[in-house]
Amino acid sequence: MAPTRWGFVSAGKISNDFKVALDTLPKDEHQVVAVAARSLESAQKFAKTHNIPAAYGSYAELAAQKDIDVVYIGSIHTQHAPVTTMMLQAGKPVLCEKPMSVNSREARQMIGLAKEKGIFFMEAVWSCFFPAYLKVREIIDSGAVGEVKVVTACFGYNVNIDVPRLTERPSGSMLDMGIWGSGDLYQFATMVFGGEEPQDITTSGHLISDGGVDETVTVVLKYSGNRMATLLCSMSANMPNEAYVCGTKSFLKIPNFWCPTEVIAPDKTHRFPLPPPEKPLNYENSTGMRFEAMEVRRCLQEGLKESPLMTHAMSLQIAGLLDQTRKVVGVVYDQDKE
């Protein structure tokens, strides 16, 4: 069977890690055939580092290529919507890095276009494809923890707020770190509670000085049957970065819940080691991005337009929850006014 031919948008850190993750998979299944960046020099440097045959100095050039089966968009998140739109208009299936959009309006437009064109589109919420998540779901379904009543999860680092990307809108703990943190927080709760919409959302947080950027945010989601999820995300505190699923019989602990390699269950610790990288990584456990790539290939081979593991509805739910959270905390982006 022919390999899936990837085109990369952006030659940044996350694109580096995704390419290293792809290199842990069989070469007769995944090949990166082109990379595009905002400058030809950056694209050429990335291509040389990763042995990619073609490099382009504009995203439009990549969109025009005929030998690409799917495009991975790893550019800055403010560019996700326009670049995704460009690729979908060119007939290219898309895996878009998270957050797929700045707000739910953009998310609806992107998904609407993919549906209109009949093209595969998926948000790269990588955590839900990890084998550890499948084990969490399996243990919950087995009844080992009883009826799940409470989910708690936190994600936070004391980061350098002098980095412009983190303090210029649209950014902040809930969006920039956040869908690496808060989006994965929401996704984890959504996974545990089977995609159910929360009945009520309570949010509290504070901003960085007068920048209009959220620094620390706490969200409590109330579900039917008095079930709760408590989620905490911060840019100013080093947190344990773990999740708990608490039931009437016992609980599960998931360290590094957004890229987990183990699940601590009542009976034992289930471990899922990742393959070692062949080149340096920028982020923790990034070779785990291999699992979302495997899912993209499966979906393309089966003619699916969305993944059943990360559906369009899930992306819209996460985007909507982020919108509601920002509104309460007082974070408003220019894109919200368009």
Side-chain angles (χ1 to χ4, degrees), residues 240-260:
N241 298 332
E242 58 192 20
Y244 290 84
V245 178
C246 306
T248 53
K249 294 180 181 179
S250 188
F251 66 89
L252 304 177
K253 177 181 177 180
I254 303 94
N256 294 332
F257 73 94
W258 76 100
C259 55

Side-chain angles (χ1 to χ4, degrees), residues 6 14 18 71-74 80 84 94-101 110 120-130 179-181 183-184 187 258 288-293 295-296 307 309-312 315 318:
W6 292 83
I14 192 62
F18 189 50
V71 174
Y72 169 72
I73 296 177
H80 286 179
T84 293
V94 169
L95 172 66
C96 181
E97 194 51 74
K98 56 187 181 351
M100 62 178 273
S101 61
M110 296 159 74
F120 175 84
F121 173 71
M122 187 177 88
E123 184 177 16
V125 182
W126 66 325
S127 53
C128 62
F129 304 103
F130 274 68
I179 199 134
W180 281 90
D184 283 324
Q187 192 277 331
W258 76 100
M289 298 172 80
R290 70 200 305 266
F291 300 118
E292 63 185 1
E295 175 66 2
V296 169
S307 166
L309 298 180
M310 186 62 212
T311 65
H312 295 162
S315 290
I318 291 172

Side-chain angles (χ1 to χ4, degrees), residues 174-197:
M174 294 303 289
L175 191 63
D176 194 288
M177 301 176 48
I179 199 134
W180 281 90
S182 64
D184 283 324
L185 288 167
Y186 282 138
Q187 192 277 331
F188 185 80
T190 297
M191 181 271 293
V192 172
F193 290 126
E196 181 180 330
E197 288 279 352

Side-chain angles (χ1 to χ4, degrees), residues 8-47:
F8 273 33
V9 165
S10 179
K13 291 182 177 180
I14 192 62
S15 293
N16 172 87
D17 285 16
F18 189 50
K19 177 59 169 69
V20 175
L22 287 176
D23 288 343
T24 68
L25 295 170
K27 289 180 171 50
D28 60 353
E29 294 183 2
H30 296 270
Q31 294 179 5
V32 181
V33 297
V35 58
R38 287 176 290 182
S39 77
L40 179 59
E41 181 181 0
S42 295
Q44 289 174 333
K45 182 179 178 181
F46 189 92

Side-chain angles (χ1 to χ4, degrees), residues 9-283:
V9 165
S10 179
K13 291 182 177 180
I14 192 62
S15 293
N16 172 87
D17 285 16
F18 189 50
K19 177 59 169 69
V20 175
L22 287 176
D23 288 343
T24 68
L25 295 170
K27 289 180 171 50
D28 60 353
E29 294 183 2
H30 296 270
Q31 294 179 5
V32 181
V33 297
V35 58
R38 287 176 290 182
S39 77
L40 179 59
E41 181 181 0
S42 295
Q44 289 174 333
K45 182 179 178 181
F46 189 92
K48 182 178 180 180
T49 298
H50 294 286
N51 194 30
I52 299 170
Y56 303 104
S58 74
Y59 302 151
E61 289 178 273
L62 186 140
Q65 302 309 306
K66 303 299 184 183
D67 62 342
I68 293 172
D69 298 316
V70 60
V71 174
Y72 169 72
I73 296 177
S75 57
I76 188 170
H77 59 267
T78 52
Q79 289 297 306
H80 286 179
V83 178
T84 293
T85 298
M86 177 191 297
M87 297 302 159
L88 291 174
Q89 291 284 14
K92 299 286 192 294
V94 169
L95 172 66
C96 181
E97 194 51 74
K98 56 187 181 351
M100 62 178 273
S101 61
V102 169
N103 55 32
S104 57
R105 178 186 59 79
E106 285 188 348
R108 287 193 298 271
Q109 291 175 344
M110 296 159 74
I111 289 172
L113 179 59
K115 290 181 180 295
E116 175 188 327
K117 296 288 187 179
I119 299 172
F120 175 84
F121 173 71
M122 187 177 88
E123 184 177 16
V125 182
W126 66 325
S127 53
C128 62
F129 304 103
F130 274 68
Y133 266 43
L134 300 179
K135 177 57 68 173
V136 169
R137 188 70 258 171
E138 177 186 313
I139 294 172
I140 291 172
D141 291 343
S142 75
V145 298
E147 182 184 358
V148 176
K149 289 292 189 179
V150 174
V151 170
T152 66
C154 63
F155 181 85
Y157 292 98
N158 182 15
V159 302
N160 179 11
I161 62 172
D162 292 329
V163 176
R165 178 176 60 83
L166 296 176
T167 56
E168 293 176 357
R169 296 180 295 172
S171 188
S173 70
M174 294 303 289
L175 191 63
D176 194 288
M177 301 176 48
I179 199 134
W180 281 90
S182 64
D184 283 324
L185 288 167
Y186 282 138
Q187 192 277 331
F188 185 80
T190 297
M191 181 271 293
V192 172
F193 290 126
E196 181 180 330
E197 288 279 352
Q199 295 179 337
D200 185 63
I201 303 173
T202 304
T203 302
S204 180
H206 62 89
L207 308 180
I208 298 175
S209 62
D210 60 353
V213 174
D214 48 303
E215 178 182 316
T216 299
V217 177
T218 300
V219 180
V220 179
L221 306 176
K222 182 179 179 181
Y223 294 86
S224 63
N226 293 320
R227 297 168 298 156
M228 310 285 283
T230 302
L231 313 174
L232 175 60
C233 190
S234 179
M235 291 172 61
S236 61
N238 288 315
M239 307 190 75
N241 298 332
E242 58 192 20
Y244 290 84
V245 178
C246 306
T248 53
K249 294 180 181 179
S250 188
F251 66 89
L252 304 177
K253 177 181 177 180
I254 303 94
N256 294 332
F257 73 94
W258 76 100
C259 55
T261 57
E262 63 179 8
V263 177
I264 303 173
D267 59 336
K268 61 180 289 189
T269 296
H270 304 269
R271 293 185 170 87
F272 305 91
L274 294 171
E278 295 181 358
K279 291 184 174 69
L281 295 170
N282 295 296
Y283 304 106

